[in-house]
Structures are given as C-alpha cells and as structure tokens.
C-alpha cells in the first residue's frame, strides 16, 4: 500500500507542467549530445549546473537526470552508425551495432536499442521503487576489498570478449591500466608516468582515448579500403523483423536484470553490466561466431544493461549519499547547490523530490521511446551521405567535442595519437576493448587495493577471508582456468576466428 501511495505521489509531482517540460528538454538535449561524437553527458550537465540556481530542486534534478539517460540513448546512436561510443558504457554496443549498420540493418539495431532501453528503464524504475532500500543494503556490504575483486572479475571478462589470441588481450589490459594510472598520484603530490608533460598531470582524457581508438582508427581503416555507403533503405527495413524481435527478447530481459543489480555498485557497475551482458549472451548463444559480425543480441543485451545500470546508479546517491560515477557526482553537486544533502534522509525529508525523480524516469523513458523510434529514419539517413563528406564532419565534431571537455588542445593531439596507435593495433590483431576497460578500471583497482591494504594492516589474506571477495576472485580464477583448457581454447578459437 505504501508503495502505491509513493508511486502516486511521484506521478503527481512528475506530471506537473514545469517538471514535464524540463524532463522533455532534458531527454531531448541528452539525446542530441549523445548523438554528437565526443560530447558526453558529464560535460553538458556540468555546464548546465548554473541553470539549476533558477529552478526548483525537483525540476532541476529531473532535467539533469533526463540528460543522463537521454545521453545513453544518443550514445547508442553514434555507436551504431559511426562506431563512436560517446561514453564508456556504449563501447560494447559498437561491437555488433556498427557491424549491423555496415550490413544495412542500422534501423533494426537502433530500434532494438530503443526498445531494449525503454524496457530496461521501465523495469529498473519499478525495481528502484520496490527494492531501493534492499539494493542499497547490498552496496553497503561492498568495501574496498570487494570492489577490487569485482574489478578483477571485470578485467577477466574483457579477456573473454576479446577476439584474437589471449595473450594479446592481456597485453591490451596491462597497457590500458598503464595509461589509466598516468597523472598525479592520489596519495602524494608527485606526478607519475607523465613524461614531463604538464597536460598529463590530471591524467588522460577517456573521451580523447575513446574517440581516437574507436573513431579515428575506424576512419583510417575505412579510407584505405573501398567503402560503399548504404543506399536508400525502405521503410520496412527501418524496424526489426519478427525473428529479430524474438531473438532479442531474452537478451533484453537478462541484460535488464544484470544491469539493475550491477548499477547499484559504485565504481563502474553500469560499465561492467554492459560488457558482462555482452559476454553472457556470447556464452549462451548457440552461434557465438556471429558476435562481432552483427548479432542482434549483441546490441539488445548491452543496451538494456546500460540503461538499467544508469537508472539504478541513482540508488547509492539517493540512499547512501555516495555518487557511483562522475555523472552522479554532478547530481550530488546540484543537490548541494539546492541545500539538499544526498543520503538516507532524502527519502524522508524530501519524499516528493525522491519519488518525483523516480516517476520522472519512467516518463522520460517513454518520451525517449516516442522521440527515437520515429527518428530512426533520420539517423539512418546519415549512412547515405558519401563517406568522403562524412569523415571530415566526424573528425570536426569529434575534435570540438574532445576539446570542449577541458578546453585542452593536448586532448585533441592525444585523440590523433591514439587513432594512429589504434590503426597499428588493428593491423597487428590487437583489440581495443580490453585496453579501454583497463584504462577505466585500473585507477579504481589501485585506489581500492590501497584502501584494502591500509585497513588490513598490509595483510593480503583479507582478499580471500571476506566471503564476497573470495567468491568473486574464485569466479575469476575459474574463468581463467577454463579458458586455458585445450578444449575451451579450441572452442574459443573457432568462435572468435582466432588467427
């Protein structure tokens, strides 16, 4: 009964004219900045923080939240159409989404991404309303020891995703961790791995690395081969076939629940969910060799997991006061500006705000579905532009997006360098995905490892003494052991067409 009353309260708040208007503006703006290569939700939300001074607390947070999950939709659009993931969470979508676009199924991929995201958003919103306190208690059980073990498991999963030789995936992970650790050490004012470059004192920009590895590299590869653009696509081809819908149903459901659980965990949970959902579908598929070549399940599962994780990542912020990622940190800043302290008291002292935000998530996802499905044809038309006209525009907007994050010309140079490096890696058979995951999780692993060792007095046995950590590490070791078995190696070689 209390749940129905709370949902009714939330709907009455979210359905106010001003809140509906700013929810619509938020999701529309989020979609647009997600579509534009290199421009992410974090920068947009940070630039709009001054605007929140002039809005009611609930209205401002509804708008910012709309930008966040709107960007998840938009990011999948560029990932599918031009192989440019705007956020780390969109990287998994490029693996099969772009391959589908190259085969003329861009419309189906975009439609499945929108449908999967809407379903995931709806389910995860209901889960927040029903199980928010219980899911927050799960996050309370995770300390530095458990986070470190979780990230180890995430890196092992990235090896499963990688095509080619296993040792190449390990090299890419280590190289990604190396790049991620560049900058000023968290425990001292000393720079490390900066090679005397002042611009690297704050570390390397993820956007620059992602645009370089996934955007510029692809442009170079396309320019050296005879790339034919997809011609006019009939309206019937803009939407999934009945077989594609059937093939996507279970991956969407599995991705939704995996993302809902992992999104609660601070420190890259939604990112792990998108990669984990992709790996899960690849393992469960009867035809794993299709993954990476345009399998619809490879789009449906990561997109559902990504959106579900984006929604449930609000739980640690609203119930614990712990931002789970950079975007949640911006949300925490917006709440502080309004005089609201993130934490458990929000549910009691600001009940209309809490339940209004939850209700607005479902309304915003409905708006995104209505906005995106009719615009599928517009996005697909981008593929009909001759590539000689397309790639200068991609480079131009990518450079603007990379530069605008920190107004640093070094980031643009970094994107170009990573693009050239990515081209060499592609020629040598090294995949970029493990590098990106290592880059993101490396600093998090280091921080949690240091905390765990400090709390345990330098005793590394703490990683196997705690049950959750021991379980995660056991799964990691088991996966590595299985991958080294001759029969499993042969199956993996056939599935991934390993050279």
């Amino acid at each position: 009964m209390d749940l129905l009353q709370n949902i009714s309260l939330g709907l009455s708040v979210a359905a106010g004219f001003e809140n509906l208007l700013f929810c619509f503006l938020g999701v529309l703006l989020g979609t647009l900045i997600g579509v534009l290569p290199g421009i992410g939700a974090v920068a947009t939300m940070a630039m709009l923080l001054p605007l929140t001074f002039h809005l009611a607390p609930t209205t401002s947070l509804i708008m910012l939240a709309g930008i966040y999950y709107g960007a998840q939709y938009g990011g999948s659009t560029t990932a599918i159409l031009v192989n440019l993931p705007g956020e780390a969470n969109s990287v998994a979508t490029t693996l099969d989404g772009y391959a589908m676009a190259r085969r003329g199924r861009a419309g189906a991929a975009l439609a499945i991404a929108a449908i999967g995201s809407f379903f995931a958003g709806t389910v995860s919103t209901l889960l927040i309303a029903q199980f928010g306190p219980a899911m927050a208690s799960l996050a309370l059980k995770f300390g530095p020891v458990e986070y470190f073990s979780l990230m180890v498991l995430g890196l092992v999963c990235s090896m499963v995703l990688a095509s080619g030789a296993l040792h190449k995936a390990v090299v890419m992970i280590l190289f990604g961790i190396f790049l991620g650790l560049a900058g000023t050490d968290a425990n001292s004012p000393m720079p490390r791995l900066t090679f005397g470059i002042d611009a690297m004192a704050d570390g390397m920009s993820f956007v620059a690395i992602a645009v370089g590895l996934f955007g510029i590299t692809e442009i170079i590869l396309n320019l050296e081969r005879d790339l034919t653009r997809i011609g006019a696509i009939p309206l019937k081809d803009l939407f999934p076939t009945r077989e594609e819908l059937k093939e996507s149903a279970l991956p969407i459901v599995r991705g939704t629940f995996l993302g809902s659980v992992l999104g609660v965990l601070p420190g890259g949970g939604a990112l792990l969910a998108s990669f984990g959902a992709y790996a899960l579908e690849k393992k469960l598929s009867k035809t794993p060799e299709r993954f990476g070549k345009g399998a619809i399940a490879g789009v449906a599962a990561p997109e559902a997991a990504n959106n579900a994780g984006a929604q449930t990542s609000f739980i640690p912020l609203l119930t614990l006061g712990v931002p789970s990622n950079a975007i949640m940190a911006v949300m925490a800043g917006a709440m502080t500006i309004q005089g609201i302290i993130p934490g458990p008291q929000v549910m009691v002292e600001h009940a209309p705000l809490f339940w209004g935000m939850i209700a607005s998530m479902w309304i915003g996802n409905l708006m995104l579905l209505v906005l995106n499905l009719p615009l599928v044809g517009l996005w697909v038309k981008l593929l009909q532009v001759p590539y000689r006209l397309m790639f200068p525009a991609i480079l131009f907007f990518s450079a603007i997006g990379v530069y605008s994050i920190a107004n640093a010309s070094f980031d643009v140079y970094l994107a170009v360098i990573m693009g050239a490096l990515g081209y060499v890696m592609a020629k040598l058979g090294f995949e970029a995905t493990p590098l990106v995951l290592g880059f993101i999780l490396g600093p998090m692993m280091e921080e949690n490892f240091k905390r765990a060792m400090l709390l345990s007095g330098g005793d590394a046995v703490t990683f196997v003494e705690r049950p959750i950590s021991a379980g995660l590490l056991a799964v990691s070791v088991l996966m590595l052991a299985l991958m080294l078995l001759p029969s499993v190696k042969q199956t993996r070689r056939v599935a991934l067409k390993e050279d």
Side-chain angles (χ1 to χ4, degrees), residues 68 72 89 116-117 119-125 127-128 135 138 150 250-281 300-316 324-325:
Y68 177 32
Q72 310 302 313
N89 300 351
S117 295
F119 176 83
T122 300
V123 172
S124 57
T125 299
L127 288 175
I128 294 173
M135 294 178 76
L138 171 65
L150 177 65
L250 286 178
I252 287 175
V253 173
R254 287 190 288 260
T256 295
F257 286 99
L258 181 65
S260 297
V261 173
L262 292 182
V264 179
L265 307 176
L271 171 67
L272 290 178
S274 63
F275 280 99
Y278 186 92
L280 177 63
E281 293 308 317
E303 279 302 304
N306 177 21
N307 203 269
Q311 306 277 95
T312 55
S313 64
F314 280 87
I315 289 179
S324 57
N325 51 46

Side-chain angles (χ1 to χ4, degrees), residues 314-324 328 332 335 341-346:
F314 280 87
I315 289 179
L317 175 67
L318 294 176
T319 60
L320 304 176
V322 179
S324 57
M328 290 300 106
M335 295 176 73
I341 306 301
Q345 71 278 8
V346 171

Side-chain angles (χ1 to χ4, degrees), residues 113-371:
I115 294 169
S117 295
F118 174 73
F119 176 83
T122 300
V123 172
S124 57
T125 299
L126 292 174
L127 288 175
I128 294 173
Q130 178 68 48
F131 302 110
M135 294 178 76
S137 67
L138 171 65
L140 279 173
K141 297 180 181 178
F142 275 69
V145 174
E146 287 78 11
Y147 285 134
F148 174 82
S149 301
L150 177 65
M151 290 164 194
V152 170
L153 178 60
L155 293 181
V156 172
C157 287
S158 73
M159 296 181 195
V160 178
L161 287 176
S163 60
L166 181 61
H167 69 273
K168 292 183 178 180
V170 175
V171 169
M172 286 292 94
I173 287 173
L174 294 176
F175 184 44
I177 293 175
F178 174 82
L179 295 178
L181 295 180
T184 304
D185 180 53
N187 298 106
S188 71
M190 299 301 295
R192 61 182 181 183
L193 305 176
T194 60
F195 305 100
I197 302 173
D198 293 338
M200 289 178 59
D202 292 328
M204 296 186 183
S205 165
F206 164 75
V207 173
I209 288 178
V211 168
L213 287 177
F214 294 96
I216 297 177
T217 295
E218 185 65 26
I219 288 172
I220 299 173
L221 291 171
N222 287 340
L223 289 175
E224 75 169 12
R225 60 178 177 247
D226 182 20
L227 185 68
T228 55
R229 305 302 293 160
I230 298 173
I233 301 174
L235 183 62
K236 65 182 179 64
D237 289 336
L238 292 178
F239 296 96
T241 62
R242 182 176 298 179
E243 183 64 28
E244 286 172 331
L245 288 171
K246 181 180 178 182
E247 197 176 331
S248 303
L250 286 178
I252 287 175
V253 173
R254 287 190 288 260
T256 295
F257 286 99
L258 181 65
S260 297
V261 173
L262 292 182
V264 179
L265 307 176
L271 171 67
L272 290 178
S274 63
F275 280 99
Y278 186 92
L280 177 63
E281 293 308 317
K282 194 170 185 177
K283 287 293 182 185
L284 295 177
S285 175
K286 297 178 180 178
T287 55
E289 67 277 0
R290 292 176 53 204
F291 281 75
K293 299 179 180 178
I296 192 73
V299 175
E303 279 302 304
N306 177 21
N307 203 269
Q311 306 277 95
T312 55
S313 64
F314 280 87
I315 289 179
L317 175 67
L318 294 176
T319 60
L320 304 176
V322 179
S324 57
N325 51 46
I327 292 178
M328 290 300 106
V330 174
M331 293 291 294
M335 295 176 73
T336 305
I337 287 173
Q338 298 283 358
I340 299 171
I341 306 301
Q345 71 278 8
V346 171
M347 297 174 62
V348 178
E349 299 176 6
H350 304 280
L353 181 146
F354 179 84
W355 293 105
M357 273 193 64
I358 290 175
S360 76
M361 291 178 188
W362 184 82
I363 294 174
N365 275 282
L366 181 61
M367 289 178 177
L368 283 166
L369 184 67
V370 173
L371 275 174

Side-chain angles (χ1 to χ4, degrees), residues 412-459:
V412 180
Y413 299 138
L414 177 61
V416 173
I417 293 171
M418 294 307 297
L421 180 62
Y423 173 77
V424 175
M425 286 162 40
K427 289 298 183 181
L428 295 176
F430 287 87
E431 191 175 347
T433 303
L435 185 154
V436 173
L437 203 55
F439 176 82
I440 295 169
L441 294 183
M444 298 180 186
M445 286 180 64
E446 181 199 27
E447 181 182 353
N448 285 290
F449 179 78
K450 287 180 177 179
R451 289 179 179 175
M453 295 301 285
L454 284 171
L455 291 173
S456 66
D459 186 6

Side-chain angles (χ1 to χ4, degrees), residues 376-398:
V376 164
L378 176 62
W379 307 137
V380 172
K381 286 185 183 298
L382 290 175
L383 289 174
Q384 300 172 20
V385 180
Y387 198 70
R388 66 180 184 276
L389 302 178
M390 188 79 160
F391 86 83
I394 295 174
L395 283 175
F396 176 74
F397 284 110
S398 296

Side-chain angles (χ1 to χ4, degrees), residues 19-97:
N19 290 337
L20 280 177
L21 174 63
F22 279 92
C23 181
F24 175 78
L25 291 176
V27 298
L28 179 61
L29 181 59
T31 303
L32 289 175
I33 62 102
V35 166
L36 291 175
I39 301 177
V42 178
T44 304
M45 292 169 66
M47 288 187 290
L48 289 177
L49 273 181
L51 178 63
T52 62
F53 281 111
H54 308 287
L55 297 175
T58 304
T59 304
S60 62
L61 293 176
I62 284 175
M63 181 191 71
L64 292 175
I67 293 174
Y68 177 32
Y69 49 81
Q72 310 302 313
Y73 276 74
S76 67
T77 300
T78 53
I80 291 168
L81 293 182
V82 290
N83 204 36
L84 278 177
E87 301 285 340
N89 300 351
S90 302
V91 171
T93 305
T94 65
L95 301 177
D96 279 281

